[in-house]
Amino acid sequence: AIRSVSVYLSDFGAEQQAREDVSGPAGVWQQQQQAGGGEEGEEADGAEADNEKLRRYELSRFRYYYGVVVCDSVATAEHLYAECDGAEFEYSAMSLDLRFIPDEMSFERTPRDAATT
């Protein structure tokens, strides 16, 4: 059985969120071309999201967090690994990357979310 599941902010996620707090998501906008012969140096009315860059950004956000599952036995953990490693997460084109974590490993950050049985 699963004893608990916890979700933690990754180092990558912490760095990216700090950057986004200052300047928003980087590299997802494309400037619109000037229509109607606007003056040199005049900015376009707005910017649109570049769909491919926005998709890559959204996929990278899956790396902001990671989950830790505590199982009641090695057999349970091995079964979860065999069934779920490499499985696609909710039609996202992102595969689950499962790893075994030693029992003595500790985590510095407080979990964002946690559930226990």
Side-chain angles (χ1 to χ4, degrees), residues 65-77:
Y65 295 93
Y66 62 93
V68 175
V69 177
V70 177
C71 299
D72 65 345
S73 68
V74 172
T76 301

Side-chain angles (χ1 to χ4, degrees), residues 6-18 63-66 68 105-114:
S6 301
V7 177
Y8 294 91
L9 180 64
S10 69
D11 291 340
F12 173 77
E15 291 170 9
Q16 292 302 110
Q17 285 183 349
R63 296 177 28 214
Y64 286 21
Y65 295 93
Y66 62 93
V68 175
M105 186 168 186
S106 63
F107 300 92
E108 296 175 17
R109 290 190 172 90
T110 303
R112 173 182 174 227
D113 294 302

